[in-house]
Amino acid sequence: MTESYLDNAATTSVLPAAAQAAMEAMTQCWGNPSSLHGRGIEAHLLLERAREDVAAALGCGKEELTFTSGATESNNLALFGAARAKRRRGRRIVTTAFEHSSVIGAMGQLQKEGFDVVFVPPEPDGTLPPEKIAEQVDKNTILVSTMFVNNELGTILDISRIGRLIKRQNPDVLYHCDAVQAFCKEPFKAARLGVDLLSVSSHKIHGPKGCGALYLKKGVRIEPIVFGGAQERGLRPGTEALPLIAAFAAAAKESSQHMAGSRDHICALNASLRARLSDLDGVFINSPDTASPYILNASVTGVRSEIMLHALEERGVYVSSGSACAKGEPSHVLSALGLSRPLADSALRISFTYESTQAHVDALIDSLRDLIPRYRASRRG
């Protein structure tokens, strides 16, 4: 059975070049990058070449890049590190109500530590105007955190405009961006985006799981949240996972090269999917018209998400019922929109990569056309 994998916002396949880079680092360059002998120096040079490649794809200086175990750690390091470094200046933090769970969870902990966190809700159509975020920033605000592309809806936030508006309100505020779903998909350069901190992940761009990075603008100071050695300038102590980092760099290099050429292809797939879903009875698209073409969220009314997800899986079609990190829990993103319970409970997330094809879309639509009336009839019966 041919697979139609359309859950790329959850994770992507590992590129052969990335797997090869990891294998070479494990078998040929296995020294500790902190060791001062030949093996260590060889490993250190590979680490710094990888840092250069990821920084080039991200659009920043290599000295502004800290490697982590993934976006969850990058987000936590950014949020706790910034909040604790700035707590003497104020206690107010502004974020959105439809951030990734790694941000929402960190914000909950910061609230327990005495910070005043404001969760700005999106509009009912899934968009979020920059002005709505900026108006929550006052003289006591020390940190703003917003995602670049929403991981369930594909909503694109105007990061540059948000940055300008919040700095106008309070020049001392730090701005963090979760760019996991934008990296190597949306054209941007971190150093020109107007942010102070920015998180990315390897396994969303065809690299391995367990690796990510945090961009920290030159001159910005945050506190570490893990303590030990001096690796990664003391911000993320511990021996670097060189095989994963080398693979991340290979994936970033290749995926960034694919980005411009594949965007028209992805847009065409998204447009085809939108049009054909709209032709199906009782199917509603939840993603904004202006959303990233890589993500589309739609509700198949009358059929619960998990039932449809597994029915599609039996046909070799892989989609998601929301963020993979939620593990089946109700979507806080769809709740933030004020979506009705029947629509939220029947939502599916379809997500593309440059490896996606029209055949994948066709397989999904053909399966839905057959499965929807069957499951709606069984529910009525």
Side-chain angles (χ1 to χ4, degrees):
M1 180 171 57
T2 303
E3 279 193 0
S4 295
Y5 183 80
L6 292 168
D7 194 19
N8 292 283
T11 198
T12 54
S13 61
V14 176
L15 285 167
Q20 182 64 30
M23 178 61 75
E24 290 177 0
M26 284 188 282
T27 59
Q28 299 175 29
C29 194
W30 42 262
N32 188 319
S34 296
S35 295
L36 299 180
H37 49 62
R39 279 289 183 185
I41 293 170
E42 180 185 41
H44 175 75
L45 291 174
L46 177 59
L47 174 66
E48 292 311 305
R49 287 197 299 272
R51 196 184 309 276
E52 289 175 0
D53 286 342
V54 176
L58 197 53
C60 67
K62 71 171 189 175
E63 70 281 356
E64 298 175 300
L65 201 67
T66 299
F67 286 116
T68 68
S69 65
T72 292
E73 183 185 349
S74 293
N75 285 340
N76 274 257
L77 175 56
L79 298 176
F80 288 108
R84 291 168 181 170
K86 303 273 284 184
R87 59 187 151 195
R88 292 185 180 179
R89 290 180 173 267
R91 291 274 171 165
R92 187 176 178 88
I93 300 172
V94 177
T95 188
T96 81
F98 66 170
E99 293 297 308
H100 187 268
S101 58
S102 61
V103 170
I104 296 291
M107 292 297 180
Q109 179 59 35
L110 286 168
Q111 285 178 313
K112 293 177 182 178
E113 294 181 14
F115 290 93
D116 173 25
V117 181
V118 178
F119 296 92
V120 182
E123 300 296 306
D125 66 355
T127 61
L128 185 49
E131 293 77 11
K132 196 172 179 180
I133 296 167
E135 68 186 16
Q136 296 296 329
V137 175
D138 61 20
K139 64 180 182 179
N140 295 313
T141 305
I142 56 173
L143 175 64
V144 174
S145 179
T146 71
M147 58 192 357
F148 197 135
V149 174
N150 184 270
N151 58 303
E152 291 191 39
L153 296 169
T155 301
I156 301 175
L157 274 67
D158 189 340
I159 301 302
S160 294
R161 180 160 174 76
I162 293 170
R164 289 194 300 272
L165 291 176
I166 64 174
K167 295 287 186 175
R168 191 179 301 165
Q169 293 283 89
N170 182 347
D172 292 327
V173 72
L174 290 180
Y175 185 21
H176 166 253
C177 175
D178 175 348
V180 167
Q181 298 294 348
F183 186 38
C184 293
K185 297 173 186 176
E186 299 296 325
F188 72 89
K189 293 186 181 299
R192 299 180 186 174
L193 200 55
V195 301
D196 300 294
L197 308 106
L198 183 141
S199 306
V200 293
S201 174
S202 165
H203 77 103
K204 309 294 188 179
I205 62 163
H206 297 277
K209 299 168 187 64
C211 190
L214 176 67
Y215 160 75
L216 182 66
K217 183 179 176 181
K218 188 175 181 180
V220 173
R221 188 185 72 83
I222 63 173
E223 293 186 5
I225 59 174
V226 177
F227 300 89
Q231 295 93 343
E232 298 301 295
R233 293 168 291 130
L235 275 179
R236 206 277 181 173
T239 303
E240 296 91 348
L242 190 54
L244 298 181
I245 291 170
F248 181 18
K253 190 172 184 177
E254 187 165 329
S255 293
S256 62
Q257 291 169 352
H258 275 290
M259 180 172 60
S262 64
R263 191 168 180 83
D264 288 346
H265 169 64
I266 299 295
C267 287
L269 291 181
N270 186 286
S272 172
L273 179 60
R274 277 180 176 268
R276 297 178 72 183
L277 284 174
S278 298
D279 286 340
L280 297 177
D281 181 50
V283 175
F284 299 91
I285 294 175
N286 302 317
S287 295
D289 293 338
T290 55
S292 165
Y294 287 84
I295 297 174
L296 193 146
N297 191 297
S299 293
V300 180
T301 57
V303 188
R304 291 182 63 85
S305 302
E306 59 268 30
I307 293 173
M308 183 60 76
L309 186 153
H310 292 302
L312 288 169
E313 180 188 6
E314 291 177 358
R315 293 170 175 243
V317 178
Y318 296 87
V319 299
S320 172
S321 58
S323 170
C325 297
K327 292 188 177 295
E329 293 297 315
S331 167
H332 71 277
V333 172
L334 299 182
S335 296
L337 297 188
L339 213 63
S340 70
R341 188 60 184 265
L343 286 177
D345 286 348
S346 61
L348 298 175
R349 181 186 65 179
I350 302 102
S351 47
F352 300 110
T353 183
Y354 54 79
E355 294 181 335
S356 303
T357 67
Q358 185 62 46
H360 295 157
V361 173
D362 294 342
L364 171 62
I365 295 298
D366 290 344
S367 296
L368 288 175
R369 188 176 289 118
D370 181 43
L371 292 168
I372 289 172
R374 184 186 307 180
Y375 281 101
R376 282 179 182 157
S378 66
R379 184 177 180 182
R380 288 192 296 269

